[in-house]
Amino acid sequence: MCGIVGYVGSRQAVPILLQGLKRLEYRGYDSAGLALITDGHLKVVKAAGKIAQLEAQLGPHVPQAVTGMAHTRWATHGAPTTRNAHPHTDCTGTVAVVHNGIIENAPVLRAKLVEKGHTFASDTDTEVLAHLIEEFYQGTLAEAVAAALHEVEGTYGIAVLSSREPDTIVAARLGSPLLVGVGIGENFIASDPAAVLEHTRSVVYLDEGEMAVVTPSGYRLMDRQSVPLTKEISQIDWDLATVERAGFPHFMLKEICEQPESIRNVLRGRLLEEEGAAKLGGLNLSDEYLAGIDRIVITACGTSWHAGLVGEYMLEEIARIPVEVEYASEFRYRSPILTPKTLVIVISQSGETADTLAALREAKRRGARTLGIINVVGSTIAREVDGGIYLHAGPEIGVASTKAFTSQIAALAVFTLHLGRLRSLSILQGREIVQALRMLPEQLEAVLRKQEEVEALSERFMRATNVLYLGRGVNFPVALEGALKLKEISYIHAEGYPAAEMKHGPIALIDELMPVVFIAPQDAVYAKIQSNIEEVRARGGRVVAVVTEGDTAIRKVADTAIEIPKTLDMLTPVLAVVPLQLFAYYIAVRRGCNVDQPRNLAKSVTVE
Ligand code: AGP
């Protein structure tokens, strides 16, 4: 997610804007920039990298200006370079735009604008907005922005400046948060309260489709039809740290709760309902090549490796192609047998994990084509793979990966659908997968409504010293992931196992002190897992089960059951993992652990 801050008033804008950007740093970004009205002209300064680079660009004598806006970019379209950093301007250099979101029809709009003679200076979808506003700018800036936004499909939180109206900022919101900060003789625009909190606690949150026209003396609000609105002013009573977490006590809980939106983001623009197929721009692997591959190797680390195991089940079941999943740290030192018909998929949230990067380079050295499933745009791995699927999950700040994991699975499902339809998957089978994917965000919201149930569980199990997680089939990787979550944030030892494998040793651990967590949805192996639960109960084990809504059979034998909605077997992991994320989270909080930055861990392991 990008960060936006704007100022109109009587004080010098640059220090206010730079401090506002620094308050947004926690969101993660790869470049930053600002636009000022100085001496009646529009001045734009931007730089790749951190705020310090932008400050260096500004130099010791910052421009004098009382109107300006600034932006930190989390790249979605176009590499994180200076030329792609925001703000973006029109051909006349009198209109500047900063944007958070994705303009889905940018290519079509860009082509039309080029035909009309507009010249583009960047690869971003955002720049299209600047030239559209230029096209419509006959009356006021607000009218031009409203007209331009009617041409746009996608999501936006934008702020717009023009040297023709030097004391005005126009802002608009559709899908990306934006607010007006209300001051005395000055006013602000921001993507979140953290950027303006030290100047004002009075804010007006824009709702979907609304616009604001902000000047030093006040602000006007209007809806998409430019009908004037009045809205109440909210008072922010959070401290800054809480504001940065959007009111959540920890980034991890915020990111667990963001999963309905992050799944919407990974699916956005990629599903073709009618054809029962997927559309993946940036894959950079032709249909002919994909139809001809004879094997897939998936390599990753940690949680991303668990996502790869889910991908293995999906691809073998749906695309009927042999798949093996390798720890990147092992793959890089083996002598893997790869051919030009082997596709190597690397999965990495950060795109910087040293072992995964080394495995990627080894795969390329051995002649395999490579596909990256990455969250951080422009990261090292993203730049070195042959083709990629970005998660668009937004920055994941908590060290324990949550929304990235479910987004990785959704991205693998979309790729599986694409590959399956190139091979033996029928249009009707494809449509079934598309429909099931479309339902996931709402189903995740239903699972998130179980938070209190799971929190109550954490009270009972927070003193456990060992926990066993058991799952079968596509939910065996969920058992591994649930165990990893508990280990890494609560420091309780936990193990994930294939449920049937328990009989070959781990069952010796079972006693009344040992909680056993079963992932037991009503899927193809449901009857088998029921008998595994009976085996545990017969030995006095305490069973927590993740079950399908309405399941009464397992509820009878488990100590506790958390229900999740019914979906396709292959997509169950997206829903089943959420109670386990919450279970680990609440236990860790009760144990007083540092949930967002657990001991000994780093968010990205950039060393061997
Ligand atoms: C997951 O909770 C851990 N933080 C860790 O296992 C992580 O998944 C692993 O280091 C891989 O990171 P990546 O996805 O950024 O490559």
Side-chain angles (χ1 to χ4, degrees):
M1 281 89 79
C2 306
I4 293 173
V5 57
Y7 174 77
V8 283
S10 55
R11 291 190 286 160
Q12 282 307 307
V14 173
I16 294 170
L17 297 175
L18 289 175
Q19 186 57 28
L21 289 186
K22 287 172 182 170
R23 295 293 184 211
L24 300 176
E25 280 188 304
Y26 71 92
R27 301 166 70 120
Y29 65 96
D30 45 56
S31 54
L34 53 79
L36 304 166
I37 307 292
T38 176
D39 297 334
H41 299 290
L42 179 68
K43 181 178 183 53
V44 172
V45 181
K46 45 192 188 180
K50 298 301 179 194
I51 309 283
Q53 272 76 5
L54 179 60
E55 288 178 306
Q57 284 282 81
L58 280 164
H61 307 296
V62 297
Q64 302 298 296
V66 294
T67 301
M69 63 185 185
H71 180 273
T72 53
R73 181 169 182 247
W74 169 270
T76 56
H77 290 66
T81 56
T82 300
R83 70 189 289 268
N84 286 333
H86 301 204
H88 291 288
T89 59
D90 68 330
C91 299
T92 67
T94 61
V95 174
V97 179
V98 293
H99 168 230
N100 183 16
I102 294 177
I103 308 293
E104 287 179 22
N105 62 336
V108 171
L109 294 173
R110 187 184 184 112
K112 287 179 183 169
L113 288 161
V114 167
E115 266 178 39
K116 290 185 175 181
H118 290 264
T119 52
F120 280 75
S122 79
D123 309 320
T124 65
D125 55 337
T126 302
E127 191 183 350
V128 165
L129 288 172
H131 295 285
L132 267 183
I133 293 166
E134 177 188 358
E135 275 292 303
F136 289 108
Y137 200 173
Q138 281 86 36
T140 68
L141 183 60
E143 289 163 346
V145 171
L149 292 177
H150 280 301
E151 305 291 313
V152 160
E153 293 165 17
T155 59
Y156 54 79
I158 63 168
V160 187
L161 269 186
S162 169
S163 54
R164 290 161 56 178
E165 298 176 47
D167 64 350
T168 299
I169 297 180
V170 176
R173 174 217 164 123
L174 186 69
S176 294
L178 214 53
L179 59 85
V180 176
V182 185
I184 299 169
E186 61 184 19
N187 289 301
F188 305 79
I189 292 290
S191 50
D192 82 28
V196 299
L197 202 58
E198 59 198 280
H199 305 291
T200 178
R201 288 184 175 273
S202 304
V203 299
V204 177
Y205 292 101
L206 295 188
D207 287 314
E208 298 304 2
E210 295 180 351
M211 274 180 66
V213 183
V214 182
T215 62
S217 57
Y219 58 91
R220 289 185 291 117
L221 304 174
M222 59 202 75
D223 65 15
R224 287 197 84 166
Q225 284 65 43
S226 301
V227 174
L229 291 170
T230 53
K231 295 172 73 99
E232 69 171 49
I233 294 178
S234 305
Q235 292 305 318
I236 303 169
D237 53 12
W238 288 331
D239 62 26
L240 187 61
T242 307
V243 163
E244 287 176 350
R245 296 186 300 264
F248 287 94
H250 300 97
F251 281 111
M252 182 178 176
L253 184 58
K254 173 174 178 283
E255 287 149 12
I256 290 171
C257 295
E258 280 176 345
Q259 290 179 109
E261 189 54 29
S262 50
I263 291 295
R264 286 190 187 95
N265 289 342
V266 70
L267 298 177
R268 184 172 285 118
R270 290 172 164 167
L271 297 179
L272 302 171
E273 275 83 354
E274 195 52 37
E275 299 89 322
K279 178 179 65 170
L280 285 165
L283 202 57
N284 201 23
L285 299 169
S286 70
D287 289 355
E288 293 69 33
Y289 163 75
L290 287 173
I293 61 174
D294 59 13
R295 181 166 154 259
I296 291 177
V297 174
I298 300 175
T299 187
C301 300
T303 288
S304 298
W305 183 77
H306 297 153
L309 290 174
V310 176
E312 176 181 21
Y313 282 94
M314 288 180 180
L315 286 160
E316 292 193 340
E317 173 77 20
I318 301 297
R320 306 305 299 147
I321 189 165
V323 179
E324 63 183 89
V325 183
E326 298 281 348
Y327 279 116
S329 54
E330 291 299 309
F331 180 84
R332 64 183 290 197
Y333 291 113
R334 274 186 32 210
S335 293
I337 311 294
L338 306 178
T339 73
K341 287 191 166 188
T342 306
L343 174 64
V344 174
I345 300 177
V346 292
I347 305 175
S348 176
Q349 186 287 129
S350 63
E352 302 297 344
T353 300
D355 285 325
T356 309
L357 178 58
L360 165 64
R361 289 170 174 168
E362 184 61 24
K364 292 177 74 172
R365 199 175 295 125
R366 292 173 180 267
R369 299 294 295 279
T370 58
L371 171 65
I373 296 181
I374 314 287
N375 192 32
V376 179
V377 175
S379 56
T380 305
I381 293 174
R383 292 197 307 273
E384 297 195 13
V385 290
D386 293 312
I389 301 174
Y390 279 128
L391 301 184
H392 299 315
E396 188 176 65
I397 311 292
V399 166
S401 188
T402 50
K403 64 177 181 176
F405 176 67
T406 48
S407 291
Q408 288 164 348
I409 293 171
L412 283 161
V414 173
F415 178 70
T416 298
L417 175 62
H418 178 67
L419 189 59
R421 294 283 283 120
L422 293 176
R423 297 167 71 91
S424 57
L425 194 69
S426 75
I427 185 168
L428 293 179
Q429 290 169 314
R431 284 178 183 167
E432 190 186 10
I433 294 173
V434 168
Q435 283 155 13
L437 283 167
R438 282 264 185 254
M439 288 174 60
L440 282 180
E442 278 176 42
Q443 292 177 321
L444 279 164
E445 281 160 359
V447 179
L448 287 169
R449 287 194 284 272
K450 311 278 183 181
Q451 284 184 61
E452 287 179 18
E453 273 182 66
V454 179
E455 183 169 19
L457 267 183
S458 66
E459 173 63 31
R460 290 168 48 195
F461 294 105
M462 63 179 280
R463 295 175 188 81
T465 53
N466 276 297
V467 181
L468 198 53
Y469 289 75
L470 301 176
R472 278 178 174 263
V474 75
N475 289 299
F476 159 49
V478 180
L480 296 175
E481 176 59 13
L484 176 62
K485 288 285 101 45
L486 189 67
K487 275 184 281 200
E488 65 178 329
I489 65 172
S490 75
Y491 316 140
I492 293 173
H493 179 253
E495 274 191 87
Y497 248 83
E501 192 59 21
M502 172 193 56
K503 297 190 292 295
H504 304 278
I507 200 165
L509 293 170
I510 305 297
D511 61 22
E512 63 286 350
L513 298 178
M514 164 74 89
V516 181
V517 180
F518 276 93
I519 299 94
Q522 285 169 342
D523 59 10
V525 289
Y526 177 68
K528 299 293 182 188
I529 208 145
Q530 274 185 296
S531 55
N532 295 145
I533 292 175
E534 301 282 0
E535 289 156 9
V536 169
R537 294 284 292 168
R539 288 157 181 80
R542 301 166 64 190
V543 172
V544 176
V546 177
V547 301
T548 302
E549 272 169 0
D551 182 314
T552 52
I554 290 187
R555 189 173 279 284
K556 287 190 185 117
V557 295
D559 290 84
T560 308
I562 302 289
E563 294 188 350
I564 60 172
K566 177 74 179 163
T567 182
L568 296 180
D569 288 3
M570 67 181 255
L571 298 180
T572 307
V574 173
L575 303 178
V577 76
V578 176
L580 308 187
Q581 294 169 344
L582 292 167
F583 186 63
Y585 170 78
Y586 286 119
I587 286 180
V589 168
R590 286 183 186 281
R591 290 167 63 98
C593 298
N594 182 342
V595 172
D596 283 334
Q597 290 155 345
R599 68 187 182 197
N600 311 333
L601 292 183
K603 182 58 187 169
S604 177
V605 183
T606 55
V607 294
E608 275 207 45

